[in-house]
Amino acid sequence: MTSASSPDTAGSHDSSDAADELVPADETTVSPDESAAATDPAEETAASAPEIAVPADGPDGDDVAETTEADAAEAPVAAPVAPSPTPAPSPRPGPRPGARVAAPSEPWGRVDDEGTVSVREADGWRVVGQYPDGTPAEALAYFERKFADLASEVTLLEVRHRRGGASASDLRTTALSVRAKLDGAAAVGDLAALISRIDALTAELAEASESEAAAAKEAVAEAVRERTVIVEEAEALAARDPQTVQWKQSTAEMSALFDRWQAHQQNGPRLPKSTAQQLWRRFRDARATFDRHRREFFSALDETHKAARDAKTRLVERAEALAPRGEDGIGAYRDLLDQWKASGRAGRKVDDALWARFKAAGDALYSARGEREAADVEASREKIEQKRALLEQAAPIVDEKNLATARQRLTAIQRQWDEIGRVFPRDVERGLDDELRKIEQSVRTREDADWKRNDPEQKARANDMTRQITDAIAKLESELAEAEARGDKRAAAQASEALEARRGWLRALGG
């Protein structure tokens, strides 16, 4: 007979001491060396349950202790151990045709004299393999460990499903794979209960997968909406007039949109390929348009700056050429200043450097005028004192009763004032001129009033008016006397009112 182990365990228990391979079903035979390797607790733990340890309390595999994957990774856990076998029963042949089904109290496995191991199922005993070179207890323990491995896989799936976080669709795929292993599994244990558990879990995962698919669909729709918002904001930035854009701020906004796009692409759900490509093309085109507008704007701005720089450089050279003219060059410098203001900007650094030169040229001109004005102020000290003395002489003219004498004295002072000439500073000169002007205005007002009084024409008109008013007063007095004689109070009141008005006019004319 060929010595081999079960097909399900060939990959996990590959040993240099094992000389043969496993064969399926009733031809399966396990060598003692392979059994020894399989019974090593540390090796069995690493091979069968690297993520979760499930020690079996009984052959049914129902009472299984659950631990987290992290706990299993932190500390080594003993491999599932089958219950201490009862003294090995004497080998007996497999069930005969027509034999009764074993009672529930019977063990899940048995070994015959030839080392053939069978598992108890609902419809009788099924051969799972051979273990001819070991004791019956070793044979049963080996295949019970195979069952514990399968139970560990089922328990791990149940734990991952209960704790959440894993994809229900992925768990369902794994569950279907485990379910396929349980059909005709070369293991000793309550396979029916294990199949019932995996079937129930698969049904739950199928329902969860539907909910998960619906949620994923909604998440994709929301992701499309969010990514569309990013695209539309980028397109809005690209559609702005390049001449009105604040490029520093807008460039930062576009960079932020690109960062949002990358974060959404990395952390968000995967979009349908056609939709993702369409949105990316729109976003890419918007960025390309934005970058093209920025390059064109700054290229044109460089040309503008270059033209302004050349124009201002020429203005600076002309301003510096005015230095020999001193104060006389100030007028020409002001014209150059107007041209400077109209020449545009040449960039901050260039503008600052050229303006420093231009201003220095102007300062030299104004400095020359300042020196001249300082000399004028020093020379004006004596003139100021002379004009103040003239003001003291002119002050009594206001009270001079003889108008001709007042005019004569004022004219003499005005002549001396003009001979002294201008004084500096200008504000002092304005103050002195204002004081003399007040005296001149006082004399002129008196002359105007005298002219009006002595004007023959004015006198003739005044006499004629006086005569007319006098005649009107005499007539009104007569009418008033008649009204009073008649007792006509209304006529008397009207005549009295008109009479009083005419008398006021006469007083105004000096009559």
Side-chain angles (χ1 to χ4, degrees):
M1 180 179 297
T2 303
S3 176
S5 60
S6 171
D8 296 334
T9 61
S12 302
H13 300 282
D14 195 6
S15 172
S16 61
D17 297 333
D20 302 319
E21 297 180 353
L22 293 175
V23 297
D26 31 275
E27 295 184 7
T28 304
T29 304
V30 182
S31 67
D33 293 336
E34 190 175 4
S35 174
T39 57
D40 186 350
E43 181 178 346
E44 184 68 22
T45 300
S48 61
E51 296 181 348
I52 181 166
V54 186
D57 293 334
D60 294 343
D62 293 334
D63 298 327
V64 180
E66 300 175 2
T67 61
T68 65
E69 299 177 20
D71 294 337
E74 289 174 1
V77 183
V81 180
S84 300
T86 57
S90 58
R92 60 179 184 272
R96 298 184 302 274
R100 68 181 181 84
V101 179
S105 60
E106 295 180 2
W108 291 107
R110 69 184 183 185
V111 184
D112 62 11
D113 294 337
E114 296 179 354
T116 300
V117 181
S118 301
V119 63
R120 176 167 57 82
E121 294 182 340
D123 54 353
W125 292 92
R126 177 174 61 83
V127 175
V128 295
Q130 286 186 329
Y131 200 96
D133 298 329
T135 66
E138 292 173 343
L140 283 176
Y142 177 79
F143 286 99
E144 285 170 351
R145 283 195 298 273
K146 308 307 290 181
F147 175 82
D149 291 344
L150 295 172
S152 297
E153 293 187 49
V154 174
T155 301
L156 177 60
L157 289 173
E158 291 173 336
V159 170
R160 293 178 66 190
H161 175 53
R162 284 198 302 271
R163 291 181 177 174
S167 168
S169 178
D170 294 342
L171 291 179
R172 182 171 177 270
T173 301
T174 306
L176 292 174
S177 176
V178 174
R179 177 64 177 82
K181 294 180 182 180
L182 294 176
D183 288 334
V188 172
D190 192 355
L191 292 171
L194 205 56
I195 291 172
S196 177
R197 286 169 59 191
I198 198 66
D199 288 343
L201 178 61
T202 303
E204 292 180 11
L205 291 173
E207 182 178 352
S209 296
E210 295 179 358
S211 301
E212 187 179 76
K217 185 177 180 180
E218 178 60 29
V220 168
E222 179 61 25
V224 170
R225 286 192 292 270
E226 292 176 1
R227 205 170 292 187
T228 301
V229 169
I230 296 175
V231 170
E232 290 174 348
E233 291 181 7
E235 291 174 338
L237 282 177
R240 292 181 182 176
D241 182 3
Q243 301 302 321
T244 62
V245 171
Q246 296 292 333
W247 286 106
K248 184 176 181 180
Q249 177 181 351
S250 297
T251 301
E253 291 177 4
M254 183 62 78
S255 297
L257 289 176
F258 184 65
D259 292 341
R260 284 172 56 191
W261 177 280
Q262 288 186 313
H264 194 275
Q265 193 174 39
Q266 294 171 0
N267 304 324
R270 186 179 184 85
L271 303 188
K273 186 174 182 180
S274 60
T275 303
Q277 289 180 344
Q278 179 184 10
L279 290 173
W280 169 246
R281 281 194 295 269
R282 290 176 59 188
F283 185 74
R284 179 194 61 198
D285 293 345
R287 289 183 68 210
T289 301
F290 179 85
D291 289 339
R292 176 168 53 81
H293 287 170
R294 182 178 58 185
R295 288 194 299 271
E296 292 174 352
F297 174 83
F298 283 105
S299 177
L301 188 61
D302 288 342
E303 293 296 327
T304 302
H305 285 176
K306 183 177 182 300
R309 182 177 66 249
D310 294 342
K312 287 186 174 180
T313 300
R314 290 191 294 270
L315 291 174
V316 168
E317 293 172 351
R318 292 170 60 186
E320 290 174 341
L322 295 174
R325 297 174 58 181
E327 183 180 2
D328 295 337
I330 290 178
Y333 179 80
R334 288 176 176 172
D335 294 338
L336 294 177
L337 181 60
D338 293 337
Q339 297 178 43
W340 177 282
K341 294 177 181 178
S343 60
R345 297 189 58 81
R348 177 173 297 179
K349 292 183 178 179
V350 175
D351 272 343
D352 291 346
L354 291 175
W355 172 251
R357 292 176 56 190
F358 188 81
K359 184 175 182 298
D363 289 343
L365 302 179
Y366 284 101
S367 176
R369 186 170 72 175
E371 294 175 358
R372 192 266 305 164
E373 289 178 347
D376 289 341
V377 169
E378 185 63 27
S380 296
R381 295 183 184 278
E382 184 178 352
K383 295 180 180 180
I384 291 173
E385 295 300 326
Q386 292 175 359
K387 287 193 173 184
R388 286 176 177 169
L390 290 177
L391 287 175
E392 293 178 358
Q393 296 177 21
I397 294 176
V398 177
D399 300 327
E400 176 62 47
K401 295 182 179 180
N402 189 325
L403 184 57
T405 302
R407 166 54 63 184
Q408 184 180 5
R409 292 173 57 187
L410 178 60
T411 300
I413 291 174
Q414 287 174 333
R415 287 173 181 169
Q416 296 179 50
W417 188 278
D418 293 339
E419 289 174 357
I420 293 173
R422 302 195 62 179
V423 298
F424 296 92
R426 296 290 179 84
D427 55 344
V428 175
E429 183 182 45
R430 283 193 295 269
L432 295 173
D433 289 343
D434 289 341
E435 292 186 26
L436 181 61
R437 194 173 294 110
K438 292 178 182 178
I439 298 173
E440 292 174 347
Q441 186 63 36
S442 173
V443 174
R444 186 178 297 110
T445 301
R446 292 172 57 190
E447 288 177 340
D448 292 341
D450 182 70
W451 172 257
K452 289 179 181 180
R453 285 194 304 269
N454 297 320
D455 184 11
E457 185 177 353
Q458 290 284 350
K459 286 183 177 181
R461 284 197 297 269
N463 291 335
D464 184 58
M465 182 64 70
T466 301
R467 187 173 56 254
Q468 293 178 8
I469 293 174
T470 302
D471 294 343
I473 290 173
K475 183 178 179 181
L476 288 172
E477 289 176 346
S478 176
E479 292 177 355
L480 176 61
E482 292 178 358
E484 290 176 349
R486 292 195 308 269
D488 189 348
K489 294 182 179 181
R490 180 178 180 183
Q494 292 177 349
S496 177
E497 182 179 356
L499 180 60
E500 188 62 31
R502 300 304 188 278
R503 287 173 178 171
W505 294 353
L506 185 59
R507 288 193 297 272
L509 291 174

